[in-house]
Amino acid sequence: MARFSRSDFTLESFRRQLANVDALPQLCVLGLASGVITGAVMVAFRLLLEAGAVLYMPGGNPEAFEGLPPWLRSLLPLVAVSLIGVLLYRQKATAQKMGVGHVIERLSYHQGRFPLRNWLNQWWVGVVSVLGGLSAGREGPAIHLGAAASSGLGVKLRLPNNSLRVLVACGTAAGISASFNTPVAGVIFAMEVVMMEYTLMSFMPVILASTMGALVAQVVYGNEPAFRIPEMALGSLMNLPWVIILGLVVGLLAGLFIHISRHQRLQALPLWLRLGAVGVSTAIVAWWFPQIQGIGYDSVAAALNNQLEINVLIALIIAKLLITALTVAGGVPIGIIGPTLVIGAATGALGGMLGGFLWPDKAADPGIYAMLGMAAMMGAVLQAPLAALMALLELTHTSNIILPGMLVVVVACLTSRQLTGCEGFFISAVRYGLHPLQQPLMQALSRVSVPAVMERSLVRTERMITPDQARKLLENNPVWLIIERSSDEKTVLALKAATLARWLLEHDEALDGKAPPDDELVDLLEIPGQRLELAPIGLQATLSEAFLKLQDDALGALYVVHGYRPKQQRISGIITRGAIERYYYYADPKDNDPPV
C-alpha cells in the first residue's frame, strides 16, 4: 500500500495542484466551502433587511409599502438617495462600484479579486435601496456579496488566480441560489452571465456551491417555492400566436429599459440632479402606486394569481420600467433582476387579460402569461435565455410551462437583440473600456496558472564565472541559466544551459589538452547564444496574465517569483511565449521546453 507523508497534504501542495487545468477534486472542495460561506452571507443579508423592516414597515415585511401612509412612502426614496449621495459618492470613484457589473469587471481585469471597501458598501447600499422604497432588487447585492466572500477565501489562502475565477462563479451561483432558493438557475446564471463559458471544470464546483448555498438558506427559511400559484396549463394551441406576440412586446420593453439605463446624456448630468430626479420621480409615483417600490415580489405573486387591477398592471409596466431604468442611469447601484421579473409578470398578466377578452373560449389563464412574461423579460434584459427558463421553473415549480416558456424567451431575446440593438444589460455595461473574457484564447488561458506550464529546471549565476564554475552549474542538467546582473542594471536575462554546454565543449577542444589560464573568466553575456530579457510575474498568475504581459516585444520570457515578502522572494521558474502557445494548441503542459 502506498504511503503518503503529511507534507503531501499541505496547503502548498494544494495550491500547486490547483494551478493545473485538471484540479477538479480540489476545485470541488473549494466549491463546497464557497457555498457554505455564501449561504451564511445571504442569510445574514436577508436577516438585515428584515431587521430594518421591523423599524417602520407594517408587520416587519420589507415589501409592505402599500401599508404605509402616502407621505411616508413618498419620503423614503428622498431619504434613500440623500444617504447614498452623502455617504457613497463622497468616497473614491473606485469604491462606488457594486453589483453584477462590478463582479464582471473584477473577473475580467483583476483576476477575481475584490476590494474590501466596495464589499462593505454593498451591505448598507443594498439595504438602503430596498428598504428606502427605490425600485431595486436584492439580486445585485446577493451576487456581489457572495462572489466577493468566496474570492476572499481564495485570497486568504493565497490560491492561484485561476481558482479565484472559479470561486467567483461559485459565489455568484450560491448567492442566487440562497437568495431565491433556485440552485439550478444560480448555476446557469453564473456560467451564462458572469463566467460567459461552460466547462466541466467550472460546472462541478459551481453546482456544489449552489447546492450548499441553497441548503444553508433552507435551514433558516425552509424549502418553499418563491411563489405559490394554482395548477395551470396553456391549453389550446391557439394561444401560441399570442405567446409569440407577448415575446415581441417584452423584447421591445427590454430594449427600451436597457437604452434608458445606459443613456449617456442622462449619465452625464450632474450627480445631484440625477439623484434628485430618481428620488422625486419615485416619490411622486409611490404616492398613488406603492407597488412600484422595493423588489416587488408581492406584486409578482398577485399577478400570478390574477389579483391586480388593470391600472396597477399598467403602472408596473410603464412606471416601474422607467423609474428602474432612471435609477440605474442616475448612478444608484441597485439589483435589476427583481424589478425586471415584476415588469415581465405585469406585462404578461395584462396580455393574458387582453387575450381573454379577444378569445374568451380559447385563451389561457392570465397567470400563465404572467409566468411567461417573467421569463421573457429576464431573458431579454440579461440575454441569458437558459438562466431565465431555469428561474421560471424553480420560482413557480410548474413544469408544463417550459415549452411555451422556451418559445417566448427566444422571441423576446431575438427581438431585444435584433430590433433594438441590445446585447444584454451587463454586457452593455462592460463594453465601455472592458473586455468580458469572451475570446476563446483568453478563456482557455485563464483556467490555468503559470506553475502548470513554467520550466522549473534552472540555476542562478553571476555574469562572470570560471570554466570550473560553469561545469558545476551544468551538473544537474538545468534548462535555463538566470544571469544575475549588477544592481544598476534593472533587466534580468536568461540563457539556455545548452548554449553554455556547447561553448564549454568548443572551449575544451580549442585548448587541445592545454591547461587554461588561472585567471580565465567566462562572460555569460558575451558567449554566442540567444539571451532572453525577463520580467517578473507572480506564482499565482494565470496564463492569460502571462500572455498579456508577453505582448511587449522586448520581453522574451517571464521569471516566476515565489514569496510574499520582497526580501524572501525567490525565482521558481521561467515561462516563455512558446510554452504558452504549445499549451493552448496541444494542451500538454509537460512539453514546455521553448525553442530558442
Side-chain angles (χ1 to χ4, degrees):
M1 182 180 295
R3 294 184 178 180
F4 298 92
S5 64
R6 183 175 299 177
S7 62
D8 292 333
F9 301 97
T10 61
L11 184 57
E12 191 63 36
S13 174
F14 187 70
R15 294 191 189 105
R16 287 198 300 270
Q17 293 166 343
L18 280 171
N20 295 284
V21 72
D22 58 348
L24 186 56
Q26 293 78 16
L27 290 175
C28 288
V29 171
L30 291 178
L32 289 171
S34 170
V36 173
I37 293 173
T38 303
V41 169
M42 287 305 95
V43 169
F45 183 67
R46 292 178 66 176
L47 291 176
L48 190 61
L49 284 174
E50 294 167 3
V54 169
L55 298 177
Y56 60 90
M57 297 292 281
N61 183 0
E63 297 192 69
F65 292 97
E66 296 87 345
L68 294 175
W71 68 267
L72 179 56
R73 65 185 183 231
S74 296
L75 178 64
L76 287 174
L78 300 174
V79 174
V81 295
S82 299
L83 287 174
I84 292 172
V86 172
L87 299 180
L88 179 64
Y89 281 96
R90 288 191 175 182
Q91 301 182 35
K92 295 181 179 179
T94 54
Q96 300 167 12
K97 298 181 179 180
M98 282 171 257
V100 182
H102 177 61
V103 172
I104 298 176
E105 176 188 348
R106 302 304 297 187
L107 189 65
S108 299
Y109 274 154
H110 303 277
Q111 292 75 51
R113 297 171 181 268
F114 290 82
L116 178 61
R117 178 179 292 184
N118 298 62
W119 189 72
L120 295 175
N121 282 336
Q122 182 66 89
W123 284 92
W124 70 264
V125 171
V127 172
V128 168
S129 61
V130 174
L131 295 182
L134 299 177
S135 180
R138 66 187 183 207
E139 314 78 20
I143 293 168
H144 182 187
L145 294 175
S150 297
S151 173
L153 170 67
V155 172
K156 189 69 175 179
L157 296 178
R158 295 173 179 170
L159 301 181
N161 290 348
N162 64 320
S163 58
L164 292 186
R165 296 181 70 253
V166 178
L167 280 172
V168 170
C170 289
T172 299
I176 289 287
S177 176
S179 186
F180 305 109
N181 195 22
T182 55
V184 179
V187 173
I188 302 301
F189 182 92
M191 306 305 293
E192 194 172 23
V193 177
V194 177
M195 293 285 284
M196 302 180 194
E197 62 175 347
Y198 294 94
T199 60
L200 177 63
M201 293 301 163
S202 299
F203 245 127
M204 294 184 69
V206 171
I207 289 172
L208 289 174
S210 188
T211 301
M212 295 307 298
L215 289 175
V216 171
Q218 288 175 15
V219 169
V220 180
Y221 293 102
N223 189 23
E224 295 296 325
F227 307 110
R228 288 191 168 275
I229 58 175
E231 281 291 331
M232 292 181 288
L234 187 63
S236 173
L237 294 179
M238 293 292 294
N239 287 282
L240 290 182
W242 201 241
V243 170
I244 295 174
I245 294 174
L246 175 63
L248 288 169
V249 172
V250 170
L252 294 174
L253 290 175
L256 176 64
F257 173 80
I258 294 173
H259 280 300
I260 295 175
S261 62
R262 300 302 177 200
H263 200 284
Q264 294 185 358
R265 289 187 179 179
L266 290 175
Q267 295 174 341
L269 294 174
L271 176 64
W272 66 269
L273 183 57
R274 285 183 279 135
L275 293 180
V278 171
V280 171
S281 60
T282 306
I284 292 173
V285 178
W287 183 279
W288 290 279
F289 295 103
Q291 292 86 354
I292 62 101
Q293 293 184 282
I295 305 172
Y297 282 144
D298 54 345
S299 298
V300 171
L304 292 172
N305 289 277
N306 304 322
Q307 296 173 351
L308 292 181
E309 298 178 356
I310 292 179
N311 62 333
V312 176
L313 292 175
I314 295 174
L316 289 174
I317 296 170
I318 299 176
K320 192 168 182 69
L321 185 149
L322 295 177
I323 287 177
T324 306
L326 179 62
T327 303
V328 174
V332 181
I334 60 170
I336 58 99
I337 298 177
T340 58
L341 291 176
V342 177
I343 297 165
T347 305
L350 187 61
M353 290 182 179
L354 181 59
F357 175 76
L358 296 176
W359 301 292
D361 298 330
K362 300 292 185 180
D365 189 278
I368 287 283
Y369 287 101
M371 285 189 282
L372 295 175
M374 288 169 54
M377 192 69 181
M378 178 180 173
V381 168
L382 304 181
Q383 285 297 308
L386 191 54
L389 286 171
M390 290 301 101
L392 172 66
L393 179 61
E394 291 185 294
L395 287 172
T396 62
H397 285 200
T398 305
S399 58
N400 57 15
I401 199 66
I402 288 298
L403 184 59
M406 294 170 65
L407 179 61
V408 74
V409 167
V410 168
V411 172
C413 289
L414 285 175
T415 302
S416 176
R417 177 180 287 270
Q418 300 301 322
L419 296 186
T420 69
C422 295
E423 296 181 282
F425 182 84
F426 298 117
I427 295 296
S428 63
V430 300
R431 277 298 168 91
Y432 300 103
L434 296 174
H435 81 85
L437 289 177
Q438 290 183 303
Q439 301 90 342
L441 171 63
M442 301 310 293
Q443 284 184 350
L445 297 183
S446 296
R447 300 180 194 127
V448 186
S449 286
V450 293
V453 179
M454 71 182 185
E455 177 57 67
R456 301 174 184 270
S457 180
L458 54 87
V459 292
R460 302 174 69 171
T461 177
E462 297 178 355
R463 171 181 174 178
M464 307 297 295
I465 58 176
T466 66
D468 288 338
Q469 290 173 329
R471 294 184 182 93
K472 289 182 180 180
L473 289 175
L474 301 176
E475 286 179 353
N476 294 325
N477 298 318
V479 176
W480 288 101
L481 303 177
I482 305 297
I483 304 174
E484 298 178 342
R485 309 178 72 182
S486 59
S487 58
D488 59 335
E489 296 176 301
K490 297 181 180 180
T491 57
V492 177
L493 298 180
L495 176 71
K496 291 284 285 190
T499 301
L500 178 60
R502 184 168 53 251
W503 183 90
L504 286 173
L505 181 62
E506 295 173 352
H507 173 267
D508 293 343
E509 290 177 351
L511 289 175
D512 194 21
K514 299 178 182 179
D518 294 336
D519 58 348
E520 182 181 17
L521 292 176
V522 180
D523 188 348
L524 295 181
L525 297 187
E526 295 297 331
I527 65 173
Q530 181 182 6
R531 276 156 287 272
L532 302 181
E533 184 172 320
L534 306 181
I537 192 168
L539 188 68
Q540 295 172 297
T542 62
L543 291 188
S544 62
E545 296 174 72
F547 180 80
L548 291 174
K549 201 164 188 176
L550 284 170
Q551 296 306 302
D552 184 353
D553 294 335
L555 292 178
L558 302 172
Y559 64 92
V560 183
V561 179
H562 186 203
Y564 304 100
R565 297 179 181 178
K567 294 183 179 180
Q568 297 178 350
Q569 288 184 345
R570 62 182 185 273
I571 298 177
S572 300
I574 286 180
I575 185 167
T576 65
R577 187 182 290 105
I580 297 175
E581 290 173 352
R582 270 196 299 279
Y583 168 80
Y584 178 68
Y585 287 113
Y586 303 109
D588 186 7
K590 295 180 182 178
D591 181 20
N592 56 10
D593 185 21
V596 177

